[in-house]
Amino acid sequence: MSLFAMGFLLAILQLSSGQFPRACANTQSLLMKECCPPWDGDGSPCGELSSRGSCQNILLSQAPLGPQFPFSGVDDREDWPSIFYNRTCKCEGNFMGFNCGECKFGFSGPNCTERRLRTRRNIFQLTTSEKDRFLAYLNLAKNTPSQDYVIATGTYTQMNNGSNPMFRNINVYDLFVWMHYYASRDTLLGGSSVWRDIDFAHEAPGFLPWHRVFLLMWEREIQKITGDENFTIPYWDWRDAKDCVVCTDEYMGGRHPTNPNLLSPASFFSSWQVICTRSEEYNSQQALCNATSEGPILRNPGNNDKSRTPRLPTSAEVEFCLSLTQYESGSMDKMANYSFRNTLEGFADPRTAISNISQSGLHNALHIYMNGSMSQVQGSANDPIFVLHHAFVDSIFERWLRRHRPMLEVYPAANAPIGHNRENYMVPFIPLYRNGEFFKPSRELGYDYEYLQEPALDSFQEFLIPYLEQARQIWAWLVGAAVIGGVVTAVLTGLILSCWKKRRGTSSEIQPLLTESEDYNNISYQSNF
């Protein structure tokens, strides 16, 4: 895209001002607390005229939260998104999106009725042209302004409760960097005070569902700006790796020849600028990250603190993690023991599942190993290795779901840290997604992993899947009913046989005469029953 064309597009987008839908980033929407944009297909809010959805009040979860956040009414992310909007589009059927203009994950077609299954592949299994296309897509996202979303550059209070909107345009790639920052940032308490023990995307049950949605949305935005509906995020299988094998100029950027903290100038990632990395500066100013460029990507893989992360994770550690039967346990935060989530996230020892925050395992280990932009939570998505890494983490989550087949009730409904209960909406996504909605197998969301693929299902099996899933959800009741039915049948059979034997033993003189076939048939039917 030429500089002139890009500048022209930026100007257009700036004029259309008013992770917030551009159509709702204006004074009217904020004061009305309503985000129900029209769907272009029929011009009605939420596509209501086409029965795609309607504008409805948001239903917030009332389940109690854990004790980790002892405040109320001090953070815009509490009861998301009610501080900004209390009415949004509720889409029907397989429609989705902030205006119901898209299809749910896993569906496509003009009416969102066609099921679609895409496959995420190992980055080292891609052909050269496929790999180069992926890298080009990353660079395009970094240089393409988001047409649908803007970011907030101030809190709701700083916006004067909506009368002074503070939003800014952002490119597609940095939009997701900002969303990751916003979900994990500290709470600003006023003055110079902050509360650090809060994170809507980490250190609690929502860690895996949140990043699952993040990747699905990221994938979809790439599909939209490239027109490549078949695009999927590749993954890096880092098990047993001796070093950062993707850290080459052929892939995600090699090491700078004279400065080991920078990327090689031969990689176009060396020209990328990071955002949202100066959390202490934002905290001291009681401000939000406004997506200003803050320097190049930093990365020095392997030169990290070895006492904390001695090496990259092993296959044995992943297998032990997968053997854990509890998704969540105890305090449901980074102190949880024997928790699959906490062990995979990396706050529990991957050999014992006992919490040990002085060490970094599995997911966390890779972030620390990269020793740069990836190693700071809020700004970690600046490094494009982030998406490769989290795609593989998601595949481990998927393996656990397939192995243990948990019911939805396994995901905590209450007492999790703020934002992480099953029915809480994930921060800062609009359209709204609940944590529990993504605690399900990936095939139901329209994607699979190459190394996990199962034999293709025929159409009849696909037809049966929803009914089998319903049966699985109530299998315990079905088994109980079968057992009770068996006991009742056995008792009735015993009574009938007992009566029959007594009748056989009765003398012929006192047995009734059954001369009519109709009477005989009636008696026989009752006995069989």
Side-chain angles (χ1 to χ4, degrees), residues 411-432:
Y411 189 98
N415 301 313
I418 185 170
H420 288 266
N421 283 341
R422 186 193 308 155
E423 297 301 314
N424 287 149
Y425 291 117
M426 300 182 192
V427 175
F429 303 133
I430 299 176
L432 304 178

Side-chain angles (χ1 to χ4, degrees), residues 39-40 46-47 52 91 95-103 112:
W39 174 53
D40 291 341
C46 312
R52 297 177 79 95
C91 304
F95 298 115
M96 189 184 79
F98 59 81
N99 62 354
C100 301
E102 298 181 357
C103 298
C112 301

Side-chain angles (χ1 to χ4, degrees), residues 367-381:
H367 279 279
I368 299 299
Y369 179 89
M370 288 300 161
N371 194 31
S373 301
M374 275 271 284
S375 306
Q376 186 230 31
V377 175
Q378 295 179 16
S380 58

